[in-house]
């Protein structure tokens, strides 16, 4: 790892071990892979040269009043999220330059990441008018449930799009967080079996470093984060925190406060 900056963020360009989504298998054109490069690693508390936490104080950001006492700190500011998503969009645009890509947003947590990503893809295509490549994309939605409260249950419930409409297409699943990896490890084979797409890849805003991991690794990742319960940027705790721009770490008061959130 190299490139530690002022807020304790490090960048790693080395692929992680584990099981990733399937690569494009057709022979229509060569693909120069940019997957799993430039992932920003958010260190654990006390990691590195200083024992100080590399996290950012709530008081330095605009946090909705109802959440100010419910989070311990900001883990990833919205501006940094935007910059990383724009870079992921560029990488995806490069790899699928002459293909039609079908984005499949995993609701609800992946919605903010999805809209940011698709806007960046549109802007890239609009600004590359002289490029002979004909990158196009469409999108659809799927709802997947694997959490109850703060824990992943490992039992995935999938509803939403008609699998027949995905047949023969290049799919990119857009997910907010790879935690244990159980959700994606079941969703990808489910889609492959029931939809027979040309390819399936996964773009994740975050991957969590946790002993609970089943080994699944996404193809495109913005951030590698500690084993903390994160909220904000459409990630929720019992439907709270979805309306917070920054990604923060919920505290004990927040867990108690929104335990029975209506």
């Amino acid at each position: 790892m190299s490139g530690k900056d002022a807020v304790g963020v490090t960048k790693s360009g080395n692929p992680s071990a584990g099981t990733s989504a399937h690569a494009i298998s057709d022979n229509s054109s060569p693909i120069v892979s940019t997957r799993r490069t430039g992932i920003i690693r958010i260190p654990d508390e006390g990691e590195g040269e200083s024992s100080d936490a590399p996290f950012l104080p709530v008081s330095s950001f605009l946090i909705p009043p109802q959440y100010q006492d419910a989070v311990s700190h900001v883990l990833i500011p919205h501006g940094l999220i935007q910059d990383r998503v724009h870079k992921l969009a560029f990488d995806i645009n490069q790899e699928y330059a002459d293909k039609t890509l079908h984005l499949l947003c995993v609701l609800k947590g992946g919605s903010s990441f999805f809209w940011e990503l698709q806007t960046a893809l549109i802007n890239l295509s609009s600004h590359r008018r002289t490029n002979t490549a004909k990158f196009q994309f469409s999108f659809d939605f799927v709802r997947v449930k694997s959490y109850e409260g703060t824990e992943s249950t490992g039992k995935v419930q999938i509803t939403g799009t008609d699998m027949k409409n995905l047949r023969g297409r290049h799919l990119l699943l857009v997910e907010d967080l790879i935690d244990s990896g159980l959700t994606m490890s079941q969703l990808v084979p489910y889609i492959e079996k029931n939809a027979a797409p040309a390819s399936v890849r996964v773009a994740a805003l975050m991957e969590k470093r946790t002993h609970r991991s089943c080994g699944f690794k996404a193809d495109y990742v913005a951030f590698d984060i500690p084993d903390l319960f994160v909220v904000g940027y459409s990630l929720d705790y019992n439907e709270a925190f979805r309306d917070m721009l920054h990604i923060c770490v919920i505290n004990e008061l927040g867990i108690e406060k929104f335990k029975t959130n209506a």
Side-chain angles (χ1 to χ4, degrees), residues 4 44-47 49-55:
K4 186 173 180 180
D44 294 288
E45 183 174 356
E47 180 180 333
E49 299 173 359
S50 172
S51 60
D52 295 333
F55 307 134

Side-chain angles (χ1 to χ4, degrees), residues 69-87:
D69 63 349
V71 295
S72 61
H73 55 271
V74 174
L75 190 69
I76 312 174
H78 184 229
L80 183 56
I81 296 170
Q82 289 179 307
D83 285 348
R84 277 296 293 139
V85 173
H86 292 172
K87 180 56 168 62

Side-chain angles (χ1 to χ4, degrees), residues 130-202:
T130 59
N131 192 346
T132 57
K134 297 180 179 179
F135 173 77
Q136 300 179 61
F137 74 90
S138 53
F139 59 84
D140 208 339
F141 302 92
V142 64
R143 192 179 297 273
V144 181
K145 182 178 181 182
S146 65
Y147 268 83
E148 290 183 3
T150 64
E151 297 295 326
S152 178
T153 65
K155 298 179 180 179
V156 177
Q157 302 173 20
I158 305 169
T159 58
T161 188
D162 187 343
M163 292 291 108
K164 292 183 294 184
N165 294 334
L166 305 179
R167 186 175 301 274
R169 307 176 87 166
H170 293 293
L171 305 180
L172 182 65
L173 292 161
V174 181
E175 172 70 299
D176 56 353
L177 173 67
I178 304 296
D179 189 334
S180 66
L182 292 173
T183 300
M184 282 295 135
S185 69
Q186 295 183 44
L187 180 58
V188 171
Y190 177 88
I191 291 175
E192 290 177 328
K193 178 181 178 181
N194 293 280
S199 65
V200 183
R201 286 180 177 172
V202 177

